[in-house]
Amino acid sequence: MTDVGAPMAKSSAVVQIGGLGSTQRRDAWWVEIVPVAILLGGFGIYATFRAFEGKFYAWGPYLSPFYSPLIDPMHHWWRFSPALLILAGPLGFRATCYYYRKAYYRAFFLDPPACAVSEGGREAYRGETRFPFILQNLHRWFLYVAFIFLAFLWWDAIRAFFFPEGFGIGVGSLVLLANIVLLTLYTLSCHSLRHLAGGKLDCFSCTSFGPTRYTAWRSLNGLNARHMLFAWMSLISVGLADLYVRMVSAGLLKDIRLL
Ligand code: FES
């Protein structure tokens, strides 16, 4: 898999030649989309189940990332799972991510299934210039929302080291810490953030904040090159962190104290 960002929007009509999957490629191009479909599909099913479950999301100092920040856990004014109150933030950020767009357009919409593989004949191709896909442009705004969630998740990770009897380290503390580190790397490697730092500029040294922006842009470039890696690692870590808290909370697993 290679991270080449989102499919480009085209406004002109394009006529596809050949049916779905027709190509002159001779390699096993479909191998690339199978793990994406399994991983993204599996995560989607698990996350949906957990978001609606509404229990087993906290134990001791641990809080599942699917439920953070925790709003109205006592159900004073919201009858349903607290996770549903905050779902739109992380879901919107992931769903509009340039890398994930490429991944799920290929794996689930087969549009196209891979580079140089036909998605089938059609009259016109409008890319992301019309509803609903034009909403993908909201990604830059979801980035700001993601930073708010990161702040809460860092707070949760720090709190996971403070047990009723004082400072300590449990396996869950390390799981939540690893998760927020990976989520931070995923967010800092975002294409929109890189653009925010260094985009819309022809000359770094010609503006007052140019040198600062240049330094930020150079630093973010290194992370941005690994965005796909961080996207997958953080997706898996969120799922595993929630699973760990769920199992400990449900009494299916005993948290091991290391300190
Ligand atoms: Fe993937 Fe922004 S491009 S999080």
Side-chain angles (χ1 to χ4, degrees):
M1 293 184 285
T2 50
D3 185 6
V4 294
M8 299 297 290
K10 299 175 190 171
S11 56
S12 58
V14 175
V15 177
Q16 298 291 332
I17 299 172
L20 173 66
S22 63
T23 181
Q24 292 186 334
R25 286 177 63 170
R26 292 290 166 255
D27 60 325
W29 55 264
W30 46 269
V31 164
E32 198 174 288
I33 60 175
V34 172
V36 173
I38 293 172
L39 260 175
L40 265 188
F43 180 84
I45 292 168
Y46 176 75
T48 304
F49 160 70
R50 283 293 286 145
F52 280 90
E53 190 177 33
K55 56 185 179 182
F56 304 133
Y57 50 76
W59 181 87
Y62 306 157
L63 175 64
S64 160
F66 285 169
Y67 286 78
S68 179
L70 187 56
I71 300 172
D72 195 27
M74 306 309 288
H75 301 286
H76 292 306
W77 55 272
W78 176 254
R79 303 172 40 206
F80 307 103
S81 166
L84 299 176
L85 288 168
I86 56 150
L87 188 64
L91 179 65
F93 186 54
R94 291 253 179 199
T96 59
C97 162
Y98 286 88
Y99 168 66
Y100 282 119
R101 274 144 75 176
K102 185 195 83 169
Y104 67 76
Y105 284 178
R106 289 184 178 184
F108 295 115
F109 304 163
L110 306 177
D111 192 15
C115 271
V117 178
S118 174
E119 65 266 45
R122 58 181 166 194
E123 292 301 311
Y125 177 71
R126 298 196 174 89
E128 295 172 335
T129 62
R130 297 281 194 283
F131 184 82
F133 294 110
I134 198 168
L135 295 178
Q136 303 283 29
N137 286 306
L138 292 175
H139 185 65
R140 69 199 70 173
W141 301 106
F142 276 117
L143 172 66
Y144 302 134
V145 176
F147 278 115
I148 298 171
F149 276 84
L150 280 188
F152 281 108
L153 289 166
W154 268 108
W155 173 250
D156 293 340
I158 293 167
R159 223 184 37 173
F161 287 85
F162 292 89
F163 295 82
E165 61 277 17
F167 180 82
I169 302 176
V171 171
S173 320
L174 300 180
V175 166
L176 292 178
L177 180 64
N179 179 51
I180 186 56
V181 168
L182 288 170
L183 283 172
T184 303
L185 288 172
Y186 170 58
T187 307
L188 292 180
S189 63
C190 170
H191 294 285
S192 289
L193 183 61
R194 179 172 172 266
H195 178 76
L196 209 59
K200 282 192 171 181
L201 268 185
D202 290 331
C203 169
F204 279 110
S205 58
C206 308
T207 58
S208 40
F209 292 108
T212 310
R213 290 185 65 179
Y214 179 71
T215 307
W217 175 75
R218 282 290 301 269
S219 311
L220 294 174
N221 276 347
L223 293 173
N224 181 252
R226 295 168 183 80
H227 188 56
M228 182 184 72
L229 177 69
F230 295 139
W232 284 115
M233 289 181 73
S234 62
L235 186 87
I236 292 168
S237 78
V238 169
L240 289 180
D242 172 79
L243 182 64
Y244 185 85
V245 174
R246 189 191 185 284
M247 291 184 74
V248 172
S249 174
L252 301 172
L253 193 70
K254 189 170 168 21
D255 182 54
I256 298 172
R257 284 289 292 274
L258 306 170
L259 186 75

